[in-house]
Amino acid sequence: MTERIVICTQELVKQFNTRGGTVAAVDGIDLQVRRGETFGLIGPDGAGKTTATRVILGLLRRTDGRSSILGHDSMDDTYAIRACVGYVAQQFALPGDMTVMENIRFFANVHRVGRKERRQRIPKLLEFAGLDGFTSRPARLLSGGMKKKLALACSLVHQPQVVMLDEPTLGVDPVSRREFWNLLGILRAERELTIFVCTPYMDEAERCNRVGLMYRGKLIAHGTPAEVKGLVPGRLIEFTPSDFDRAMALVTGLEGVLEVQTYGLMLHVFVDETATRQQEIQCALSAQGITCKGMGEIEPGMEEAFIGLVRRARDSQ
Amino acid sequence: MLLRIWAVIQKEFIQTFRDRRTLAIQLAMPMIQLFLFGYAISMSVDHIPTAVADQSLDAASHGYVNAMVASGYFDVVMYVASHHDVLDAIDKGRVQAGIVIPPGFDALVERGDAQALLLVNGEDLFTSQSAYNAATSVAKAHAISILMEKATCAPLAAASQSTLPLDARIRILYNPNQDDLWFIIPGMLAMLLQVQSITLTAAAVVREREVGTIEQLLVTPIRPAELMLGKVTPNILISIINLLTILGLGVYWFNVPFQGDFWLFLWLAFMYVFSGLGLGLLISTVSQNQRQALQLIGMFTIVGVVLGGFIFPRYAMPPLIRIAGNLFPLTYFIPISRGIITKGVGIESLWEQVAALFTYIIVIMFFASRAFKQGLD
Ligand SMILES: Nc1ncnc2c1ncn2[C@@H]1O[C@H](COP(=O)(O)OP(=O)(O)OP(=O)(O)O)[C@@H](O)[C@H]1O
Ligand SMILES: [Mg+2]
């Protein structure tokens, strides 16, 4: 293992025993997160992101495989991991009846941050998180975005080398989401913090250095956002048909059409070649009396790539 | 390690004091319970509403009824004509007991085979028992006083009499009102202290799990044992305050004399609190939510009270049940509590119970810390 790899998993498996049998929430994933990068674990609800994160942190016992952070095994060296990793759980998990200040002090104390450092760090962190005006407010009375920022501040108080954030912008408005990501950007730039983030949002995936796509417990693709987007074959055509349902059925059957995705009232169609296929689709639709607006080629985004890859994984399973 | 425990203790205290209402309930509840129970129990045994069917209406019958009333156990609320009317009054719930005195009571007492009938509503165990006990002891006392009277008047006649003039077959030393509370309050103290220590701890841990904050705690370097110790500290304090208030109420309000060594008692009670804390932790690890925990606590309390000897004496239980009683710390502490408070004995007469209690605490703490999970699954 090289020094540059911070988080590493090999064939990691986590099964839950439920009444209906065993469920593999994490089903053999291999991933590597490098020092200083922002890694996004992307996946739909129930993909197993939270479970994977918890197993890597040593909060859940793994069923099989290996995982480690900074060379510390998740199961055997949990306390070594806890000293150098910060974690923000998916749901708000700070004591809600304690104030902002009490919360951050508590986490500083359990990490045995000395008095002097505490006095320096806490005001800085609060200012950084934009919470300096709310120090005496009980945590449960904070807005959704502020709660997340407080959790982030608490997870940073012992100056970890790695932070693992589980859907840190869940239930947060777009403005606060942007603010939150700006904070992460600052952390990455100033402290060279390694950031591991779980998210179902594609726009957030684009902000990561590298991403892993998780689906039903498996890692179906990984790489830089550009690499992942490149995994989907073909070019992408976008248009708005006048009769959505019929147009979709019609286009799906055409030659050279690789995949059709819906996007609001628009259709996103992957084709093997742009110019001729665009022509053919237009002809086929107008033959059925369907007009379409705004047809043109676009760059496939994370979202299209993601849907395409998930669909492919589902078909092959 | 100490720093982390201290951090958890601070957190727990902040949270405890923030929820003022719950804290007030936790502090006041055992006192209120003791107050209510103390009265409910002491009132159920005396001033039993009673009907009297005096078919003699002579000096002996008056004397007997007066003796019964004077005992404080019976309040004559109605006079009726016959045995039948007494039954009727009990059936209708107007009285709980009835005294039927046969005709010619004077003569019967003189001859030495007077029998007054006491009818008691058996629906209520406590009433019937205390009525029964009181009636027999009053009859006996009364009979002796008649005998003494006779003896002073005509020593020879009395001496020749082999039986008491009034029937009193069972001999119970009964010092009504007080004895009861003397017996009950030390047991109640043991019970309330246990309920309190189990509930506080189980609730505190389960709540943490239910609202999910346990996840954020588990990713810190806090060790499970440290978390455990930190979490129970405020509960120890609350339990000690409960202990002192209950004891104060018992001694100063209910006039239960504290016969033994106060500091010995306090020290043993303090240790006893740990058994409840351990049980609370154990319950919290097997229950997924607060409702389950409360159910378990409820079950534990009721069974513990029954098997622990709070109400029914343990020597009267079948062996298997008695063994089952050993699962409850109440079983060990009730004899300690009664021994020190009521009997005033020292550790030399209690060492068996004390040793058992300490063993119990060690075992329960061992299991609790084993079961107290490090992870989320
Ligand atoms: N304790 C558990 N017992 C049984 N099954 C579980 C448990 N925890 C998670 N699962 C199952 O494992 C799968 C993955 O869950 P997980 O919470 O890891 O997904 P996720 O990607 O984080 O989803 P979300 O976006 O909804 O948070 C789900 O199907 C879930 O039902
Ligand atoms: Mg999740």
Side-chain angles (χ1 to χ4, degrees):
Chain A
M1 202 188 307
T2 61
E3 244 307 286
R4 287 181 48 77
I5 306 294
V6 171
I7 300 174
C8 174
T9 75
Q10 289 160 9
E11 301 283 318
L12 190 65
V13 177
K14 172 67 191 179
Q15 291 173 339
F16 288 111
N17 291 315
T18 60
R19 230 169 285 153
T22 55
V23 183
V26 175
D27 196 5
I29 60 172
D30 291 274
L31 53 86
Q32 287 173 355
V33 178
R34 295 178 201 139
R35 187 177 295 280
E37 77 177 355
T38 300
F39 182 89
L41 191 60
I42 322 289
D45 292 344
K49 306 182 292 292
T50 300
T51 309
T53 311
R54 285 175 174 169
V55 174
I56 294 171
L57 278 166
L59 288 174
L60 289 173
R61 306 223 54 95
R62 66 187 165 218
T63 313
D64 202 6
R66 304 203 57 76
S67 61
S68 60
I69 303 182
L70 293 163
H72 306 297
D73 185 86
S74 304
M75 301 295 127
D76 306 333
D77 298 329
T78 17
Y79 293 112
I81 287 180
R82 284 162 201 199
C84 55
V85 179
Y87 172 58
V88 174
Q90 180 169 343
Q91 81 287 7
F92 181 68
L94 299 177
D97 43 3
M98 305 213 316
T99 64
V100 168
M101 189 51 115
E102 286 163 353
N103 261 296
I104 200 160
R105 277 216 187 114
F106 169 68
F107 284 96
N109 289 342
V110 293
H111 280 289
R112 308 181 58 175
V113 177
R115 186 182 292 255
K116 216 173 108 214
E117 285 107 323
R118 211 168 56 196
R119 248 189 247 135
Q120 287 174 344
R121 270 184 223 169
I122 292 179
K124 243 190 237 166
L125 271 174
L126 288 175
E127 195 196 322
F128 161 78
L131 288 165
D132 38 0
F134 303 94
T135 48
S136 55
R137 185 177 292 195
R140 81 191 130 84
L141 299 181
L142 295 174
S143 73
M146 287 203 279
K147 279 180 183 165
K148 292 291 186 184
K149 285 180 201 160
L150 174 61
L152 180 68
C154 287
S155 77
L156 293 172
V157 76
H158 58 298
Q159 297 203 320
Q161 303 176 46
V162 188
V163 281
M164 300 185 80
L165 314 170
D166 193 353
E167 304 198 21
T169 57
L170 186 77
V172 171
D173 70 74
V175 179
S176 304
R177 259 174 71 186
R178 183 163 301 224
E179 279 172 20
F180 194 91
W181 275 92
N182 288 341
L183 294 183
L184 294 185
I186 295 170
L187 289 176
R188 183 167 47 173
E190 288 184 358
R191 303 211 188 151
E192 295 179 2
L193 198 66
T194 308
I195 301 172
F196 177 100
V197 57
C198 298
T199 177
Y201 299 120
M202 295 310 145
D203 54 328
E204 294 185 351
E206 307 257 17
R207 290 167 171 266
C208 298
N209 301 110
R210 288 193 318 123
V211 296
L213 255 54
M214 201 169 173
Y215 180 67
R216 293 198 182 164
K218 288 194 163 33
L219 208 59
I220 56 173
H222 61 96
T224 63
E227 281 166 2
V228 169
K229 281 183 269 189
L231 289 173
V232 196
R235 319 292 296 266
L236 184 60
I237 296 172
E238 172 189 76
F239 58 92
T240 314
S242 58
D243 186 334
F244 190 82
D245 293 332
R246 271 175 57 218
M248 187 163 158
L250 201 69
V251 173
T252 309
L254 287 179
E255 200 194 327
V257 170
L258 304 171
E259 185 169 343
V260 182
Q261 296 176 0
T262 59
Y263 191 88
L265 282 176
M266 288 189 280
L267 281 180
H268 280 181
V269 182
F270 281 96
V271 291
D272 50 4
E273 192 260 327
T274 324
T276 45
R277 297 306 177 199
Q278 192 169 340
Q279 208 91 60
E280 284 168 17
I281 290 170
Q282 213 143 24
C283 290
L285 288 179
S286 55
Q288 295 291 321
I290 304 169
T291 58
C292 40
K293 273 189 296 193
M295 185 177 280
E297 184 179 354
I298 56 163
E299 270 302 305
M302 234 10 228
E303 186 154 344
E304 286 79 21
F306 182 73
I307 295 171
L309 288 165
V310 163
R311 204 175 273 182
R312 216 196 291 166
R314 191 168 47 203
D315 292 345
S316 70
Q317 264 174 28
Chain B
M1 180 183 139
L2 285 175
L3 279 175
R4 288 192 298 256
I5 297 179
W6 179 235
V8 179
I9 291 175
Q10 279 180 315
K11 161 182 172 294
E12 294 298 320
F13 269 110
I14 289 173
Q15 291 184 291
T16 304
F17 282 108
R18 195 122 310 157
D19 191 354
R20 289 281 159 80
R21 192 177 304 194
T22 307
L23 182 65
I25 292 174
Q26 286 168 348
L27 288 177
M29 213 41 168
M31 264 206 314
I32 294 171
Q33 278 172 310
L34 180 74
F35 203 71
L36 293 176
F37 290 169
Y39 270 108
I41 290 169
S42 63
M43 297 220 314
S44 73
V45 294
D46 55 17
H47 298 287
I48 301 164
T50 309
V52 172
D54 186 351
Q55 293 160 339
S56 296
L57 295 171
D58 50 27
S61 69
H62 277 308
Y64 180 66
V65 172
N66 283 343
M68 296 287 264
V69 174
S71 74
Y73 272 91
F74 302 95
D75 279 356
V76 176
V77 293
M78 60 200 293
Y79 284 93
V80 293
S82 66
H83 184 173
H84 181 82
D85 293 337
V86 171
L87 287 180
D88 195 49
I90 292 177
D91 276 348
K92 295 208 170 106
R94 279 191 219 134
V95 294
Q96 292 295 316
I99 300 167
V100 182
I101 298 175
F105 202 60
D106 239 347
L108 289 170
V109 169
E110 203 60 40
R111 262 194 283 138
D113 61 347
Q115 259 186 326
L117 180 65
L118 179 77
L119 296 163
V120 182
N121 181 5
E123 273 174 329
D124 183 64
L125 185 72
F126 284 109
T127 311
S128 60
Q129 270 184 353
S130 47
Y132 177 80
N133 292 337
T136 38
S137 62
V138 168
K140 172 133 186 162
H142 189 54
I144 290 171
S145 73
I146 292 174
L147 205 59
M148 298 289 279
E149 226 169 85
K150 270 208 234 161
T152 26
C153 300
L156 275 175
S160 67
Q161 208 163 1
S162 59
T163 53
L164 294 172
L166 256 163
D167 199 5
R169 260 186 225 111
I170 298 163
R171 210 186 138 197
I172 293 175
L173 287 173
Y174 211 68
N175 178 357
N177 226 333
Q178 287 175 328
D179 234 16
D180 245 21
L181 275 180
W182 288 15
F183 172 76
I184 295 238
I185 288 203
M188 192 116 71
L189 202 142
M191 183 190 82
L192 293 177
L193 212 53
Q194 168 148 85
V195 174
Q196 196 69 352
S197 52
I198 297 182
T199 315
L200 287 173
T201 311
V205 178
V206 175
R207 185 160 13 91
E208 200 94 56
R209 187 147 355 116
E210 214 170 28
V211 298
T213 44
I214 192 81
E215 183 168 7
Q216 208 71 64
L217 289 182
L218 286 175
V219 289
T220 66
I222 305 172
R223 310 294 193 267
E226 296 166 359
L227 185 60
M228 225 168 76
L229 272 175
K231 282 198 95 55
V232 298
T233 306
N235 301 345
I236 294 175
L237 202 75
I238 292 177
S239 298
I240 298 287
I241 294 175
N242 289 152
L243 169 71
L244 293 176
T245 51
I246 294 174
L247 207 55
L249 200 62
V251 172
Y252 293 108
W253 185 266
F254 287 111
N255 295 321
V256 173
F258 196 101
Q259 312 275 20
D261 181 351
F262 176 73
W263 294 107
L264 173 69
F265 180 78
L266 202 62
W267 184 65
L268 289 174
F270 180 73
M271 294 315 293
Y272 169 65
V273 163
F274 277 89
S275 69
L277 301 175
L279 275 174
L281 285 173
L282 213 53
I283 285 178
S284 73
T285 53
V286 295
S287 31
Q288 284 139 351
N289 52 48
Q290 294 200 54
R291 233 190 0 236
Q292 285 176 12
L294 283 179
Q295 292 263 321
L296 277 175
I297 294 166
M299 201 238 18
F300 216 88
T301 314
I302 291 168
V303 179
V305 161
V306 174
L307 298 189
F310 176 39
I311 303 175
F312 309 111
R314 268 173 62 75
Y315 61 77
M317 294 174 189
L320 219 61
I321 300 288
R322 216 175 328 162
I323 291 170
N326 289 333
L327 290 173
F328 304 91
L330 211 57
T331 305
Y332 312 112
F333 193 67
I334 284 183
I336 295 177
S337 176
R338 285 191 182 141
I340 298 180
I341 297 179
T342 316
K343 290 198 225 147
V345 298
I347 190 132
E348 62 286 347
S349 337
L350 295 169
W351 67 267
E352 241 174 281
Q353 276 85 9
V354 172
L357 180 66
F358 277 47
T359 314
Y360 187 92
I361 292 166
I362 292 169
V363 170
I364 203 84
M365 280 299 176
F366 174 75
F367 280 117
S369 56
R370 285 287 298 271
F372 201 77
K373 288 165 205 151
Q374 268 195 42
L376 290 168
D377 45 358

